[in-house]
């Protein structure tokens, strides 16, 4: 990070950027990381929006995009700074989510094993094989009904279609 950019940050932005350093991210849990991610994304979006608005407004007075490019350097640098901070936080969120997923999976497996060992042994009763699902008689086809979720709405739609067709037929 260059010194000019650090000097252009407000205290709140400087503190927010410091929260994304590796040592600061280690002590956060998944929910805190998600909260930080949202705050970083909000600030990044603000500076991207400011940069785009300023860049588009500066093209005509400067005489072209190339000539207007240097005029909006501060917002562009801030957007880039918060984009890299967002990437760091996103990686930390992904790592925390992976750890949580692994932990939950192992807990579920242990619970299933405990339930299996605590359950009584199954009897040797014959198991019915389900060979045929609830199918209609042979030769009839199950027809999917086209519905939008309400009988009145469907009737209204059919009536509107009929009126439209009648109008076309009358031409």
């Amino acid at each position: 990070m260059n010194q000019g950019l650090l000097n252009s940050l407000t205290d709140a932005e400087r503190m927010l950027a410091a929260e994304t350093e590796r040592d600061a991210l280690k002590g956060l849990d998944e929910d805190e990381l998600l909260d930080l991610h949202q705050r970083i994304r909000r600030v990044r979006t603000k500076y991207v929006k400011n940069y785009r608005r300023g860049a588009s407004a500066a093209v005509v007075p400067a005489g072209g995009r190339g000539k207007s490019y240097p005029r909006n350097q501060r917002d562009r640098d801030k957007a880039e700074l918060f984009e890299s901070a967002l990437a760091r936080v996103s990686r930390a969120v992904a790592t925390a989510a992976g750890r949580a997923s692994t932990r939950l999976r192992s807990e579920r497996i242990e619970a299933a094993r405990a339930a299996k060992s605590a359950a009584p042994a199954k009897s040797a009763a014959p198991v019915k094989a389900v060979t045929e699902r609830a199918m209609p008689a042979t030769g009839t086809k199950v027809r999917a009904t086209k519905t939008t979720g309400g009988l009145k709405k469907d009737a209204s739609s059919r009536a509107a279609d009929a009126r439209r067709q009648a109008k076309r037929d009358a031409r």
Side-chain angles (χ1 to χ4, degrees):
M1 219 181 314
N2 68 28
Q3 192 60 33
L5 179 58
L6 280 176
N7 291 336
S8 71
L9 293 176
T10 65
D11 289 337
E13 292 168 347
R14 201 173 295 119
M15 288 173 48
L16 190 60
E19 286 184 57
T20 65
E21 295 301 322
R22 183 180 299 212
D23 295 334
L25 291 176
K26 284 182 182 176
L28 301 178
D29 67 348
E30 189 176 5
D31 292 332
E32 292 169 333
L33 284 169
L34 289 171
D35 179 54
L36 178 62
H37 190 270
Q38 184 177 10
R39 289 186 292 140
I40 294 285
R41 181 184 290 156
R42 207 175 297 131
V43 174
R44 187 266 328 246
T45 302
K46 170 186 166 183
Y47 283 109
V48 167
K49 190 186 317 179
N50 287 349
Y51 166 67
R52 287 182 178 164
R53 283 184 182 167
S56 66
V59 169
V60 174
R65 290 186 324 192
K67 291 180 182 177
S68 72
Y69 183 79
R71 294 185 180 189
N72 209 359
Q73 186 69 37
R74 181 173 172 235
D75 284 333
R76 185 172 47 250
D77 287 343
K78 281 187 172 187
E80 186 176 337
L81 168 78
F82 287 111
E83 181 67 37
S84 62
L86 185 65
R88 283 192 300 271
V89 175
S90 293
R91 281 192 297 273
V93 167
T95 303
R99 280 193 305 260
S101 172
T102 303
R103 183 176 42 80
L104 289 173
R105 181 175 177 226
S106 64
E107 287 174 5
R108 283 194 314 268
I109 290 172
E110 288 301 319
R113 286 182 182 155
K116 186 176 180 181
S117 65
K122 291 184 179 180
S123 64
V127 178
K128 290 184 181 179
V130 179
T131 57
E132 205 175 309
R133 292 188 177 196
M135 298 288 279
T138 310
T140 60
K141 203 175 204 180
V142 176
R143 187 172 154 222
T145 56
K146 185 177 179 185
T147 178
T148 57
L151 294 175
K152 289 173 101 176
K153 189 173 181 180
D154 291 338
S156 173
S157 178
R158 282 193 300 272
D161 288 343
R163 284 192 302 271
R164 192 178 308 115
Q165 186 63 44
K167 189 175 179 182
R168 292 179 96 186
D169 291 345
R171 286 189 213 166

